[in-house]
Amino acid sequence: MRKTIFFAAALAFMVSACNQPDKTPVQFDDLGQLKVNVRTNAQTKALIETSALENGSELGISVLEAGDADYDGFANYKNIKLTASASGSNQVWTPAFDVLLSTTEGTLYAYYPYSAAVTDIKAVPVETTSQTDYMYGTPVPGLFNKNCAADVVLNHALAAVRFNVVKGSFSGDGQVTDIAVNGQQIANKATMNSLTGVLAAFEGNNERINPAFAPFVLSAGGEVKDIIIIPTGTDGVMTISMTIDGYEIQAQTPAMDFAEGTISEFDLTVNSQSLAIGEVTVTPWSTVDKGNIDIL
């Protein structure tokens, strides 16, 4: 059955090429089967902070010619599902169907996670509600029948804020049940160009983003919580809201923007009358130290 499918795909490839007057007819022996290896670039369920994705992970890949044209006229070489099996050095990525390459050079693009609902690979919907760590692949050019292996490096398309919540002079029970952020420079929805990773069509600016998490009790040792955000590339004040013992308290950061692919780290010290924000850092998913915040 596998051989029959492969032959049918190859036959379709040859017929398509023969119908294009500016293309040299493709022979069966001239076809090469694309093979893909995937790894993440730096740190990411919500934040993927490993160099490999889990067994069963799915990517969307596309192979295009120069000028972002369909590869050899094949429109179905866009948004192909690629599925991971096994993990580590034994991990294998399998496409939904054999991707056959001719003598035409193509470039492979990728994004994570795959969605069958994507109709435009230059406008992949992204959002913060699910706290998904959306990623895009560094383009892999120069693929053709004699060079079929593509090593894909995934890059983080969004940004994140990381809070190390520490008990200061706070005298209550210290039960934290909610942490949220909002700011005009933070969006709730956008689109991602899977060819470049560029974000656009921002929606829901300044809406609260507050992912669910298990409640915890303030301690001197601290508790780390991450929130994925969509950066708009503009400056603005970010408001941090925290619900402690049933009461909401807030603190604001100085005006700042958040770069794609970075984690901005904040030390939050909860005192009797203040929430303190200290020094802040950013490194590539990458983290950036954004400082200390004292919460009243």
Side-chain angles (χ1 to χ4, degrees), residues 226-268:
D226 296 325
I227 300 178
I228 293 175
I229 61 175
I230 298 175
T232 63
T234 58
D235 289 342
V237 171
M238 182 177 70
T239 299
I240 304 168
S241 304
M242 185 181 303
T243 302
I244 304 176
D245 295 343
Y247 295 93
E248 183 176 274
I249 56 178
Q250 292 184 336
Q252 287 189 326
T253 68
M256 61 177 61
D257 64 1
F258 298 95
E260 295 179 26
T262 62
I263 303 173
S264 296
E265 299 184 350
F266 296 82
D267 287 332
L268 302 182

Side-chain angles (χ1 to χ4, degrees), residues 39-92:
R39 64 184 175 90
T40 62
N41 186 21
Q43 312 172 350
T44 165
K45 255 105 185 220
L47 273 56
I48 299 173
E49 298 183 287
T50 60
S51 61
L53 295 174
E54 296 179 351
N55 177 37
S57 295
E58 296 177 343
L59 301 183
I61 64 169
S62 302
V63 180
L64 304 177
E65 287 185 22
D68 302 338
D70 292 344
Y71 185 85
D72 274 332
F74 282 96
N76 66 335
Y77 273 21
K78 292 194 289 286
N79 200 33
I80 303 167
K81 182 169 71 173
L82 197 69
T83 306
S85 58
S87 59
S89 60
N90 295 321
Q91 190 168 68
V92 175

